[in-house]
Amino acid sequence: MTGSSLANPNAQALQKVVLFTCIWAATIGLVAAMPGGQGRTLPELPQATTPVTLMAATDPVTGKSEFRYRGNTTPPVIRVQPGTVLNVKYKNELAAQSKEDCVGHPCMQMTNLHFHGLHVSPNAPQDDVLDMMASPGETLHYSVQVPTQQPPGLYWYHTHSHGESYIQDLDGMSGAIVVEGIERYVPEVTHMRERILVLRDFVLPNDAAERKSVMESVAMQTTQCGTAPEDPERAFTVNGSLRPQIDIAPGERQFWRIVNASPDRYADLEVDSGSLDVVALDGMPLAYHDPSIRTRSMSHILVPPAGRVEAIVTGPPRDSHAALRSRCFDTGPDGDSNPAMVLADIVSAQPPNLQTRPALGGSPIYTTFSPTTLKRVEAGDPQFVVTFTEDKQGFYINGQKFEMNSGPMLTVDIGSLRRWRVMNSTKEVHPFHIHQVHFLPYAVDGNPVKDPAWVDTVNVRYGSSVDLVMDFTDPIIRGMSLFHCHLLKHEDKGMMAKILFR
């Protein structure tokens, strides 16, 4: 399908879908827009600078959880500078009794925040997801010291209450964080229009006709995608809208910053009109560890749940049909259907009258490791192996199911690089994530990765392994932290473990 939503013939049929989904959509911050993006440009997200007051609340009609910020349900983009403090006042005003199910029982309505990807302390009052927990009526006060050497880029925040993370994230309790200063590494983005795109889930209606209409509106693939036998369950929204329009002038270069905030869906992103000139992955500028690399041109890029990509996109010729798409991704025979679909239509616009965004100033900070050092780490035996397994009773790391009162699975003395291996012994994919640090995936099944890049979340194919160089050199990260599968239902059911940095 090539941009036909600009004059969608199913408009009248879809009116019923809008009425059916409007109330539900509002509970997770969605804009009640016509599927197909008809007449809707991409919604802009509210911006916030520290301090931020955020509230967890319950929709009185649906019972679903949501963030509220300054009287609305659209989570803000929090912008922060390196070397400053991110202060967040987080109020839990969720209903005492939940209508939602969490891991086989009613949700307990506990909540907290995780500042995903930031190289900050795991101790209270910073990125502590173990001891900082709010029951209904309680308030948490976060004071997160963003280090001067924090890589500037796109990060995000989401709830991380064990056993309730999946439902709260599915309901839309997440938002983007921008650490300012990426123009230090890629100066040309200063003169470009910035677009922040947050991908979340839209649950397909149960009614067959309504379900079909929504699937058609996003041109969802109807044939089986990969080896997963299940039917599709959800579509992606972009900033709360199903298939909005992104306007861009022919030849104009825009700076797109995309976060996959889904609890378990993969976005294999491509743009019809050309390649993505990627400048950062998971908040880490490509140049941060290698000043000789500023961008990489990619025809498509897999963004796992929790992953981020920042890229320069060039506007297609006027009146051409182009779209931002997610390709089919095979999650494995025990995985979920992850079909191809259109995320947004790209439409021609007049050249913008842009003013240059204020630059942070100063020189870029580089953290480089010599090829000799990296090769030495890569050549050694793995110093720790993470093995993902699952059965009908739950999900495990190294045969253990996570418990809040359990001790650390391992203790690491900070100050060095370590070689880890992540093994997936299941029949579905698992995205590996560790708090506080980035790592370098350099080999898959023992074979070198072409153009490796530093990330904080990496996909591990089913029946496969990934070798990583873990960066444990930062003294800021001392304390009890976590690593886990970022399919949040898997995490809630036990696929998580503690790590003590000392």
Side-chain angles (χ1 to χ4, degrees):
M1 187 169 183
T2 55
S4 60
S5 72
L6 304 186
N8 195 321
N10 296 321
Q12 292 183 347
L14 290 174
Q15 293 287 351
K16 183 179 179 183
V17 178
V18 176
L19 293 174
F20 178 80
T21 59
C22 180
I23 294 177
W24 177 89
T27 69
I28 62 170
L30 296 182
V31 177
M34 175 71 69
Q38 298 172 28
R40 281 210 57 85
T41 57
L42 180 75
E44 297 289 342
L45 300 174
Q47 306 287 309
T49 54
T50 186
V52 178
T53 298
L54 195 64
M55 181 188 303
T58 301
D59 183 275
V61 176
T62 66
K64 294 184 180 294
S65 55
E66 62 191 12
F67 279 152
R68 292 181 185 168
Y69 172 71
R70 292 188 174 179
N72 65 63
T73 58
T74 302
V77 177
I78 300 175
R79 307 190 79 104
V80 63
Q81 294 186 5
T84 61
V85 178
L86 170 57
N87 290 300
V88 180
K89 181 179 181 181
Y90 184 47
K91 302 178 179 180
N92 184 350
E93 297 195 6
L94 294 167
Q97 301 295 322
S98 176
K99 297 180 181 179
E100 298 188 281
D101 182 81
C102 288
V103 198
H105 55 76
C107 300
M108 298 179 64
Q109 305 295 69
M110 305 283 284
T111 191
N112 61 6
L113 295 176
H114 170 45
F115 303 96
H116 185 116
L118 293 183
H119 296 183
V120 296
S121 170
N123 297 324
Q126 302 196 57
D127 190 29
D128 178 1
V129 299
L130 292 168
D131 297 318
M132 291 187 72
M133 197 76 65
S135 298
E138 296 180 341
T139 298
L140 298 174
H141 296 270
Y142 291 94
S143 183
V144 182
Q145 300 179 30
V146 181
T148 303
Q149 69 273 22
Q150 175 69 46
L154 182 65
Y155 299 87
W156 68 303
Y157 59 95
H158 61 89
T159 63
H160 209 295
S161 175
H162 180 60
E164 307 189 53
S165 298
Y166 170 79
I167 287 296
Q168 291 183 5
D169 191 65
L170 180 63
D171 285 349
M173 298 183 74
S174 61
I177 299 174
V178 171
V179 176
E180 305 284 16
I182 199 168
E183 68 280 350
R184 292 174 172 175
Y185 301 84
V186 193
E188 56 266 38
V189 303
T190 305
H191 307 286
M192 297 178 191
R193 181 170 183 178
E194 175 194 75
R195 292 191 181 276
I196 297 174
L197 313 181
V198 179
L199 309 183
R200 294 195 183 91
D201 295 78
F202 184 95
V203 178
L204 297 176
N206 291 324
D207 179 83
E210 295 164 349
R211 179 188 184 91
K212 180 181 178 182
S213 293
V214 174
M215 293 174 66
E216 288 178 348
S217 76
V218 295
M220 186 179 292
Q221 177 181 346
T222 55
T223 57
Q224 182 175 346
C225 173
T227 54
E230 297 181 352
D231 292 331
E233 297 177 346
R234 300 181 220 138
F236 274 118
T237 64
V238 184
N239 292 0
S241 284
L242 283 165
R243 196 169 173 173
Q245 297 175 352
I246 301 178
D247 60 287
I248 184 170
E252 178 193 354
R253 303 176 79 207
Q254 294 186 354
F255 183 38
W256 292 10
R257 317 181 87 165
I258 306 172
V259 52
N260 182 358
S262 169
D264 56 9
R265 291 300 184 267
Y266 285 77
D268 192 353
L269 300 177
E270 67 177 358
V271 176
D272 290 343
S273 54
S275 60
L276 295 158
D277 293 326
V278 175
V279 305
L281 293 172
D282 288 358
M284 179 75 72
L286 299 181
Y288 189 85
H289 285 295
D290 188 345
S292 68
I293 303 174
R294 291 230 314 248
T295 65
R296 282 183 180 150
S297 181
M298 300 184 183
S299 59
H300 68 98
I301 182 167
L302 180 66
V303 184
R308 289 91 66 211
V309 60
E310 297 170 79
I312 297 169
V313 176
T314 302
R318 188 172 300 280
D319 300 324
S320 63
H321 291 160
L324 171 66
R325 302 174 186 271
S326 179
R327 297 154 41 113
C328 163
F329 178 70
D330 183 9
T331 63
D334 287 348
D336 298 313
S337 178
N338 210 110
M341 69 186 76
V342 176
L343 303 182
D345 289 295
I346 299 172
V347 299
S348 293
Q350 295 298 318
N353 183 19
L354 287 180
Q355 294 182 347
T356 299
R357 294 198 313 274
L360 189 59
S363 301
I365 297 173
Y366 298 106
T367 299
T368 59
F369 301 111
S370 72
T372 301
T373 298
L374 291 175
K375 291 298 182 185
R376 186 184 72 249
V377 176
E378 294 169 6
D381 292 331
Q383 291 160 301
F384 187 67
V385 178
V386 177
T387 302
F388 290 141
T389 56
E390 60 185 79
D391 57 28
K392 293 181 179 180
Q393 281 70 49
F395 296 79
Y396 311 88
I397 292 179
N398 295 354
Q400 298 180 37
K401 183 183 292 188
F402 178 80
E403 299 290 346
M404 284 292 289
N405 60 359
S406 63
M409 182 171 285
L410 77 161
T411 299
V412 173
D413 291 323
I414 60 172
S416 64
L417 302 176
R418 301 290 184 97
R419 179 187 173 187
W420 281 24
R421 175 172 292 161
V422 183
M423 300 183 65
N424 182 355
S425 299
T426 75
K427 294 182 179 179
E428 62 180 314
V429 299
H430 297 286
F432 169 82
H433 169 60
I434 185 168
H435 293 202
Q436 325 310 142
V437 303
H438 280 68
F439 51 81
L440 181 70
Y442 68 90
V444 175
D445 296 331
N447 300 311
V449 171
K450 181 182 178 182
D451 298 327
W454 293 81
V455 293
D456 62 41
T457 306
V458 66
N459 183 56
V460 188
R461 298 194 306 253
Y462 56 97
S464 184
S465 68
V466 177
D467 286 306
L468 314 172
V469 175
M470 310 295 291
D471 182 4
F472 296 147
T473 62
D474 192 340
I476 292 174
I477 66 175
R478 284 191 178 93
M480 190 73 76
S481 191
L482 292 169
F483 57 94
H484 57 88
C485 171
H486 219 288
L487 301 182
L488 294 182
K489 187 176 287 186
H490 295 182
E491 176 215 303
D492 281 347
K493 292 184 177 181
M495 197 171 273
M496 182 161 68
K498 295 179 184 177
I499 177 173
L500 177 62
F501 295 119
R502 67 181 183 186

